[in-house]
Amino acid sequence: MFRAILLFTALISSAYALVHGVDSSQLVSVATYKKARSEGFTKAVIRGYQEACGSGGRVDPNFVQTYKNARAAGITDIDMYWFPCCGSGNSCKSFAKQLTEIGNTFKTHSMKIGTIWIDIEKDSVCNNWNYGTAGNLAKAKKLIAAAKASGFKFGIYSSPGEWGNIFGSTSVVLDSSAPLWFATWNGAQSLTMGTKFGGWTSAAGHQYTDVSASGLFDLNVFAH
């Protein structure tokens, strides 16, 4: 009986264990990653693809080097996020083409990436997601279809505010079967969703602040 209780306790503890991670949109040095790792951040999420709406989207020029720096610092749990080029006023590459460029980068540089997080948020510079709420949902469905067809493991990054703004309501469902990484800068290092959106009832990751000592990171917790 005592052994069974210990086993149950271990399972409960494992289920609630969280991985602390940093995400970045800039070039990050080996030293900065080493410092983050020494503070308990063992996961890195790197911007791998940016809107670059003037050129239809591009692999982030800092992606490969930042990835190499993270690995050199001893971080092996690495994801990337894809800020897709879209918007009616932009000559964006197809979502399939954007994903092909991502995949080619993985292959060329022998990169081991866990999840591609699709960043769904508004950007006033590129004026993306400007198709109207119904049009935005239709475009987002094409985005998800391309991600599924690519064969990559993917999830969705967004926030309640961005979701409601883009799709007209937080209750609009795009693909609630995909893992969710949500942003709510409330400082709470937990996966609890204060405001549920998109049909998700639980999350795989939470970006809880955009403030870090280096100024290069947002801070997160992820499910183990």
Side-chain angles (χ1 to χ4, degrees), residues 176 178 180 191-193 196-204:
S176 58
L180 172 68
L191 298 178
T192 301
M193 298 176 67
K196 293 182 172 61
F197 65 100
W200 286 285
T201 56
S202 62

Tab-separated table of all heavy atoms in Angstrom, residues 176 178 180 191-193 196-204:
chain	number	residue	atom	x	y	z
A	176	SER	N	-8.588	23.321	-32.154
A	176	SER	CA	-8.307	23.169	-30.721
A	176	SER	C	-7.614	21.842	-30.406
A	176	SER	O	-7.262	21.585	-29.264
A	176	SER	CB	-9.605	23.278	-29.909
A	176	SER	OG	-10.547	22.305	-30.325
A	178	ALA	N	-4.744	21.180	-31.788
A	178	ALA	CA	-3.322	21.544	-31.811
A	178	ALA	C	-2.916	22.058	-30.437
A	178	ALA	O	-3.709	22.706	-29.747
A	178	ALA	CB	-3.078	22.614	-32.867
A	180	LEU	N	-1.592	24.441	-27.590
A	180	LEU	CA	-1.655	25.889	-27.464
A	180	LEU	C	-0.536	26.410	-26.575
A	180	LEU	O	-0.310	25.912	-25.478
A	180	LEU	CB	-3.002	26.314	-26.861
A	180	LEU	CG	-3.124	27.808	-26.492
A	180	LEU	CD1	-3.136	28.680	-27.743
A	180	LEU	CD2	-4.375	28.045	-25.642
A	191	LEU	N	0.161	26.863	-16.208
A	191	LEU	CA	-0.526	26.698	-17.489
A	191	LEU	C	-2.011	27.018	-17.392
A	191	LEU	O	-2.762	26.794	-18.341
A	191	LEU	CB	-0.339	25.262	-18.001
A	191	LEU	CG	1.110	24.840	-18.296
A	191	LEU	CD1	1.167	23.389	-18.739
A	191	LEU	CD2	1.743	25.751	-19.340
A	192	THR	N	-2.423	27.571	-16.259
A	192	THR	CA	-3.833	27.911	-16.066
A	192	THR	C	-4.244	29.037	-17.001
A	192	THR	O	-3.617	30.094	-17.046
A	192	THR	CB	-4.093	28.340	-14.611
A	192	THR	OG1	-3.717	27.268	-13.744
A	192	THR	CG2	-5.561	28.662	-14.405
A	193	MET	N	-5.299	28.788	-17.757
A	193	MET	CA	-5.821	29.798	-18.681
A	193	MET	C	-6.865	30.639	-17.962
A	193	MET	O	-7.949	30.143	-17.639
A	193	MET	CB	-6.442	29.135	-19.910
A	193	MET	CG	-5.462	28.320	-20.748
A	193	MET	SD	-6.280	27.463	-22.122
A	193	MET	CE	-6.779	28.879	-23.143
A	196	LYS	N	-10.235	31.579	-21.370
A	196	LYS	CA	-10.145	30.529	-22.383
A	196	LYS	C	-10.553	31.093	-23.739
A	196	LYS	O	-11.394	31.982	-23.834
A	196	LYS	CB	-11.012	29.336	-21.995
A	196	LYS	CG	-10.501	28.609	-20.749
A	196	LYS	CD	-11.341	27.405	-20.427
A	196	LYS	CE	-10.722	26.573	-19.299
A	196	LYS	NZ	-10.603	27.306	-18.050
A	197	PHE	N	-9.937	30.557	-24.779
A	197	PHE	CA	-10.257	31.018	-26.130
A	197	PHE	C	-9.956	29.912	-27.138
A	197	PHE	O	-9.252	28.950	-26.823
A	197	PHE	CB	-9.467	32.283	-26.476
A	197	PHE	CG	-7.960	32.097	-26.556
A	197	PHE	CD1	-7.317	31.948	-27.781
A	197	PHE	CD2	-7.174	32.092	-25.407
A	197	PHE	CE1	-5.948	31.784	-27.857
A	197	PHE	CE2	-5.796	31.941	-25.469
A	197	PHE	CZ	-5.170	31.784	-26.708
A	198	GLY	N	-10.525	30.061	-28.329
A	198	GLY	CA	-10.225	29.148	-29.417
A	198	GLY	C	-10.671	27.714	-29.223
A	198	GLY	O	-10.275	26.828	-29.983
A	199	GLY	N	-11.480	27.463	-28.203
A	199	GLY	CA	-11.931	26.099	-27.935
A	199	GLY	C	-10.996	25.308	-27.040
A	199	GLY	O	-11.302	24.164	-26.677
A	200	TRP	N	-9.859	25.892	-26.673
A	200	TRP	CA	-8.923	25.173	-25.799
A	200	TRP	C	-9.400	25.238	-24.349
A	200	TRP	O	-9.875	26.277	-23.887
A	200	TRP	CB	-7.532	25.792	-25.876
A	200	TRP	CG	-6.786	25.489	-27.132
A	200	TRP	CD1	-6.176	24.311	-27.477
A	200	TRP	CD2	-6.551	26.389	-28.230
A	200	TRP	NE1	-5.586	24.412	-28.709
A	200	TRP	CE2	-5.800	25.682	-29.204
A	200	TRP	CE3	-6.902	27.718	-28.493
A	200	TRP	CZ2	-5.392	26.260	-30.406
A	200	TRP	CZ3	-6.500	28.298	-29.685
A	200	TRP	CH2	-5.756	27.576	-30.628
A	201	THR	N	-9.249	24.143	-23.656
A	201	THR	CA	-9.556	24.100	-22.228
A	201	THR	C	-8.280	23.923	-21.406
A	201	THR	O	-8.293	24.035	-20.189
A	201	THR	CB	-10.524	22.943	-21.909
A	201	THR	OG1	-9.950	21.707	-22.371
A	201	THR	CG2	-11.866	23.164	-22.603
A	202	SER	N	-7.175	23.626	-22.096
A	202	SER	CA	-5.881	23.491	-21.426
A	202	SER	C	-4.803	23.922	-22.403
A	202	SER	O	-5.037	24.019	-23.611
A	202	SER	CB	-5.639	22.041	-20.973
A	202	SER	OG	-5.612	21.171	-22.090
A	203	ALA	N	-3.615	24.183	-21.879
A	203	ALA	CA	-2.531	24.691	-22.715
A	203	ALA	C	-1.251	23.906	-22.506
A	203	ALA	O	-1.032	23.299	-21.461
A	203	ALA	CB	-2.288	26.163	-22.410
A	204	ALA	N	-0.386	23.950	-23.527
A	204	ALA	CA	0.920	23.288	-23.455
A	204	ALA	C	2.010	24.252	-23.027
A	204	ALA	O	3.083	23.840	-22.585
A	204	ALA	CB	1.266	22.686	-24.814
